[in-house]
Amino acid sequence: MTTILATDFWTSIMPNVVANKDVFIQSTWETIYMTLVSGIIAGILGIIIGIALVVTAPGGILANRTTYWILDKLVNIFRSIPFIILLAVIAPFTRLLVGTSIGTTAALVPLTIGTAPFYARQVQNALVDVDRGIIEAAEAVGASPMQIIFRVYLREALPDLIRTSVVTVISLIGLTAMAGAIGGGGLGNTAISIGYDRFENDITIMAMIIILAIVFIIQILGDLWARKTDHR
Amino acid sequence: MAANAPIIDLKGIDVTFKEADRTVRAVKNVDLEVAKGDIYGIVGYSGAGKSTLVRVINQLQRQTSGKVTVSGQNMGALKGKALRQARTKIGMIFQHFNLMNERTIGDNVMFPLLLGSKLSRHDKQAKVDELLDLVGLSEKKNDYPAQLSGGQKQRVAIARALANDPEILISDEATSALDPKTTSSILDLLKNLNEKLGLTVVLITHEMQAVKSICNKVAVMQSGEIVERGDLLTIFSKPTQQLTKEFIETSSQIDAALANVVAQPSIQHLQANERLVVLSYAGASTDDPLIAQLYEQFKVTPNILFGNVEILQNTPVGNLGLVLSGEGDAVDKALAYVKEQGVTVRQISVAEYQAELARKAAEADTNDEGEA
Ligand SMILES: Nc1ncnc2c1ncn2[C@@H]1O[C@H](COP(=O)(O)OP(=O)(O)OP(=O)(O)O)[C@@H](O)[C@H]1O
Ligand SMILES: [Mg+2]
C-alpha cells in the first residue's frame, strides 16, 4: 500500500505527470468549468428550443407552422456542422462576444452553440414521448399551455430528460477536449500540447484516465437519479 | 339559463378535418340536447365520430360550424382563461385513463386543484382524500399508476375528473379496456355519482350492454350523424334503424337464438295453422297473463322456443320466441289481440329467414376476402 502511494512509484511509471501535477489540477478544473458553464447555458437553450419544437409542432398545444419550421431547420443546420469547423467559423463572433477567441472562456461560445441544438433534439424526443392522452387530460381539466409545459411535459419526461442530459454532458466533455486542442485549455489541451507534441505519452494517458473518470461518475450518478425518478 | 333548458345543447354541429390529401367530415350537422341529470349514451361503431362529437362539448375540438351551449354558456365564443375556467366544470375520462405516470395517485387527483383553485393547501388535501374515498382507493394514495389495475386507474381518473366539482362528466370509451366485471363496477360508480351528486353523464361506448345498464337516453351514431335517439326503453323496445337493431342484437342475442331455431327440422316443417313469431314487449304489457290469454280466449297453443327478459330502468323488457298453433284464423286473431296490448309482433317465415341468413353469411365472406 505504502509503495503504491509513494511518490517515487508514480515518478517511475509516470514521470512527466508527476512533474506537471499542477498543470493537471488546473486543466481538470478548466475542463469542469467549460463543461459546467457551457452545459448550463446550452441546457437552458436546449430545453427552451426543445419545448418550443414540441408545442409548436403540428397538433401541439401551441401549434404554429412557421415557428416550428424555422426552429426545426435551424436545429438541423447547426447539428450538421462538424464541431471542429464550427470552432473556426464562429471565431470572429466569439471574439466579438468575449474579446478573445483563445482560452477557456472563449471556448464556451462554440461549446454552447455546438451543444444546444443537439440537446434541443434530445429534449424534443423526450417530450414527444409523453402520451398525447395525458396532455389532453390536462387540457380537459383546464390547464394552460404554461401549466402543461411545466407541470406535465417536463414532469412526465423527467427520467428521459435526465438520461439525455447525461448523454449530452458526456458528448460535451468530448467537445471540450477538442476545443482544448485548438487553444481552449483543459485536459484536451494538456493531452495534445504537452503529451502528444512533446512525446510525453504518460501525460496523454493520464488526461484520458481523468476524462474517463469524470464520464463514469456522471454516467453512474445520472443513471441512479433517472431510475429514482422513474415510476412508469 | 332557463330552469329546464338542457345542460348541454349542441345545434347544427359540423366538424371537418382538412388534411393534405383528403378532408374528413367527422360530424355532420348534429343536434343533441342533454338534460341535467341524464346519463346519455352515445353508441356507434369505430370511426362514427363519437369522440369528435363529445370533444366539441369541452372544446378540445372546435366545431367547424354550429353552436355549443353548456350550462347556458356559448362555448364557441370562449377563449383562453374563460375557456379553461369553463372546462373545469366538464370532467372527462378516457379509454386509456391518461394518468400521469410520474405522479402518485394522490397527486394525480390533486393536479386539477393546482391549476388555480382558491382552496387552501389543507382544503385541497382534504378534497383529494374525500375523492379517493368516494372511488374507494384511499389506501392507494401514495402508489403510482403503474402499480394499479385498469379498473383502479379508471377510478383514479374519475376522482381526478371530479376534483373541480364538475356538473358534467364525459366518458369516452372509459370501460372499453376493462373486463366485464370491472366494467360493471365502473358503470355502477358512474350511476352512483349521477344519483348522489346529480352529475350529468355523457357515455360514449360501442357496448350496448353499458348503455343498457345505466343510461336513460341513447343516441346511435353512424358516419358522423345521429341516426336514432330517444329514451332507453323506446329505443330498446321499438328500434327503427337497422344499425340500432344490430346494436340491440349484440346485447340480446335474439337473432342468434332465432338462427338456431330455424335450423331445427320441426320448425322447418311448420303446419299451415302454425306460425313462428317473436314477441317483444316493454313495461306494463308484461303484467297481463298474455300467454294464458292466448289459449283461454283464442284456443291458440303457444310453444315457447326461447325468451329473455331484462330490467331496463326498472321496467322489464322482453323477447319471446313462440310457435303458435290454432284452428282457422285463431292465430291471426290472437296476434291482433297481442298487438293491441302494445306488444311488437314479428312474424317469421322460416324459408325467407333462412335465405336472409345465407345472404348475410355470403356477404360476410366477401367482406373478409376483401379485407384479406
Ligand atoms: N384530428 C383528426 N384529424 C383528422 N381526422 C380525424 C381526427 N380525429 C378524428 N378524425 C377522423 O374523424 C372520424 C371520426 O373519428 P372519431 O375518433 O370521432 O370516431 P369514434 O366514433 O370516436 O371512433 P372510435 O370508436 O374508434 O373511438 C374518423 O374517420 C377519424 O379518422
Ligand atoms: Mg373515439
Side-chain angles (χ1 to χ4, degrees):
Chain A
M1 245 348 241
T2 44
T3 45
I4 289 179
L5 290 175
T7 316
D8 44 343
F9 172 78
W10 288 108
T11 317
S12 68
I13 64 161
M14 286 192 162
N16 301 306
V17 171
V18 174
N20 289 290
K21 203 167 119 219
D22 294 343
V23 173
F24 264 103
I25 290 172
Q26 196 200 332
S27 56
T28 302
W29 279 120
E30 282 171 358
T31 293
I32 291 174
Y33 165 78
M34 287 190 288
T35 308
L36 217 61
V37 176
S38 58
I40 288 171
I41 302 171
I44 292 170
L45 285 175
I47 284 183
I48 292 172
I49 299 169
I51 290 171
L53 279 167
V54 171
V55 298
T56 60
I61 54 171
L62 295 170
N64 184 313
R65 232 171 248 283
T66 321
T67 314
Y68 178 76
W69 191 87
I70 292 172
L71 284 175
D72 188 54
K73 293 291 171 285
L74 276 179
V75 166
N76 273 349
I77 289 168
F78 276 94
R79 276 194 62 191
S80 309
I81 304 173
F83 185 66
I84 200 87
I85 294 177
L86 182 75
L87 280 174
V89 169
I90 63 165
F93 173 67
T94 305
R95 213 168 297 131
L96 202 75
L97 210 64
V98 294
T100 169
S101 58
I102 305 173
T104 40
T105 303
L108 296 177
V109 180
L111 286 174
T112 302
I113 295 176
T115 304
F118 173 76
Y119 189 52
R121 263 305 172 232
Q122 305 260 29
V123 170
Q124 181 190 12
N125 289 338
L127 299 188
V128 156
D129 275 349
V130 176
D131 189 343
R132 179 68 213 167
I134 293 178
I135 304 302
E136 185 153 279
E139 287 185 297
V141 293
S144 69
M146 278 300 153
Q147 288 168 330
I148 291 174
I149 289 170
F150 286 101
R151 290 170 186 265
V152 186
Y153 268 126
L154 293 180
R155 179 80 188 255
E156 283 295 294
L158 187 59
D160 281 344
L161 285 174
I162 293 169
R163 288 190 191 97
T164 62
S165 302
V166 167
V167 171
T168 305
V169 169
I170 289 171
S171 91
L172 177 57
I173 293 172
L175 298 186
T176 65
M178 225 191 283
I182 68 157
L187 288 163
N189 185 35
T190 307
I192 301 298
S193 66
I194 307 180
Y196 185 75
D197 291 350
R198 296 195 214 150
F199 302 103
E200 295 176 357
N201 280 338
D202 59 326
I203 296 238
T204 320
I205 289 170
M206 194 58 189
M208 180 190 76
I209 290 173
I210 296 175
I211 287 181
L212 283 181
I214 297 175
V215 166
F216 278 133
I217 290 169
I218 292 172
Q219 183 81 59
I220 288 166
L221 291 181
D223 279 353
L224 280 178
W225 189 20
R227 210 168 309 152
K228 196 162 172 294
T229 56
D230 202 343
H231 299 285
R232 279 169 294 185
Chain B
M1 180 170 71
N4 55 356
I7 188 165
I8 300 171
D9 191 358
L10 306 182
K11 284 250 182 319
I13 301 299
D14 240 90
V15 179
T16 306
F17 294 108
K18 284 201 173 57
E19 282 170 8
D21 48 343
R22 67 198 179 120
T23 61
V24 181
R25 201 170 156 215
V27 176
K28 299 169 189 160
N29 193 26
V30 167
D31 294 333
L32 184 70
E33 291 185 1
V34 180
K36 194 164 169 45
D38 273 350
I39 303 186
Y40 207 122
I42 299 179
V43 290
Y45 289 125
S46 188
K50 308 179 296 291
S51 296
T52 308
L53 179 66
V54 295
R55 286 157 47 85
V56 164
I57 297 172
N58 60 3
Q59 298 282 295
L60 284 180
Q61 175 65 55
R62 293 282 193 182
Q63 64 274 23
T64 311
S65 65
K67 189 173 180 202
V68 180
T69 313
V70 177
S71 303
Q73 252 184 324
N74 177 3
M75 298 293 286
L78 300 181
K79 284 204 280 278
K81 202 161 189 283
L83 176 59
R84 294 197 290 273
Q85 182 58 36
R87 277 182 184 157
T88 62
K89 293 295 159 197
I90 309 170
M92 190 163 187
I93 55 176
F94 309 83
Q95 179 172 3
H96 299 295
F97 325 121
N98 299 347
L99 298 177
M100 285 179 258
N101 300 308
E102 308 297 347
R103 285 181 197 263
T104 61
I105 300 316
D107 287 347
N108 264 284
V109 178
M110 176 68 91
F111 179 78
L113 301 173
L114 298 176
L115 307 175
S117 158
K118 300 211 166 48
L119 295 180
S120 72
R121 219 184 142 80
H122 176 263
D123 288 351
K124 285 178 188 170
Q125 276 302 342
K127 180 86 197 176
V128 169
D129 291 342
E130 178 195 321
L131 287 164
L132 285 177
D133 192 43
L134 186 67
V135 299
L137 282 176
S138 298
E139 22 9 315
K140 301 285 183 190
K141 189 175 174 187
N142 296 315
D143 288 359
Y144 286 88
Q147 296 162 270
L148 267 54
S149 72
Q152 290 172 328
K153 285 183 198 171
Q154 198 58 285
R155 285 170 183 272
V156 177
I158 291 171
R160 173 176 68 180
L162 297 178
N164 281 313
D165 301 314
E167 293 159 348
I168 298 166
L169 182 69
I170 298 172
S171 161
D172 190 353
E173 305 266 12
T175 60
S176 299
L178 305 175
D179 63 61
K181 189 156 165 275
T182 316
T183 293
S184 73
S185 87
I186 294 290
L187 291 174
D188 287 347
L189 175 61
L190 293 181
K191 177 83 188 158
N192 203 328
L193 295 170
N194 165 259
E195 285 167 357
K196 219 154 75 180
L197 312 175
L199 193 67
T200 305
V201 180
V202 179
L203 186 94
I204 299 187
T205 180
H206 56 257
E207 301 158 323
M208 209 55 175
Q209 197 57 46
V211 170
K212 230 153 65 173
S213 54
I214 65 167
C215 294
N216 65 329
K217 288 185 193 147
V218 55
V220 181
M221 262 191 105
Q222 183 175 32
S223 315
E225 288 169 296
I226 292 183
V227 294
E228 187 161 12
R229 73 180 87 202
D231 68 272
L232 187 74
L233 272 180
T234 315
I235 293 288
F236 265 84
S237 53
K238 299 190 173 65
T240 63
Q241 299 296 310
Q242 185 53 36
L243 182 64
T244 314
K245 290 176 186 166
E246 255 175 58
F247 269 109
I248 293 172
E249 162 62 15
T250 59
S251 66
S252 71
Q253 300 291 323
I254 289 302
D255 278 320
L258 209 48
N260 220 329
V261 161
V262 296
Q264 291 169 15
S266 62
I267 302 296
Q268 285 173 3
H269 303 105
L270 286 177
Q271 305 298 314
N273 62 344
E274 289 179 323
R275 210 73 61 71
L276 174 61
V277 295
V278 177
L279 307 185
S280 306
Y281 52 86
S285 56
T286 51
D287 291 343
D288 299 329
L290 194 71
I291 300 300
Q293 293 285 329
L294 292 180
Y295 188 75
E296 277 178 19
Q297 278 197 27
F298 307 98
K299 297 283 179 276
V300 165
T301 320
N303 176 18
I304 299 178
L305 302 171
F306 60 83
N308 71 355
V309 184
E310 288 170 303
I311 310 294
L312 301 182
Q313 297 193 285
N314 305 320
T315 309
V317 174
N319 291 286
L320 204 53
L322 301 166
V323 171
L324 301 178
S325 49
E327 296 297 323
D329 59 356
V331 171
D332 286 328
K333 281 187 179 150
L335 287 177
Y337 166 78
V338 167
K339 276 184 195 162
E340 264 168 43
Q341 304 305 306
V343 172
T344 309
V345 176
R346 180 172 158 206
Q347 298 204 45
I348 288 146
S349 143
V350 175
E352 273 173 32
Y353 193 76
Q354 279 187 312
E356 168 102 6
L357 284 180
R359 193 177 53 74
K360 274 190 187 154
E363 235 172 49
D365 273 356
T366 47
N367 280 350
D368 286 350
E369 279 160 27
E371 277 162 28

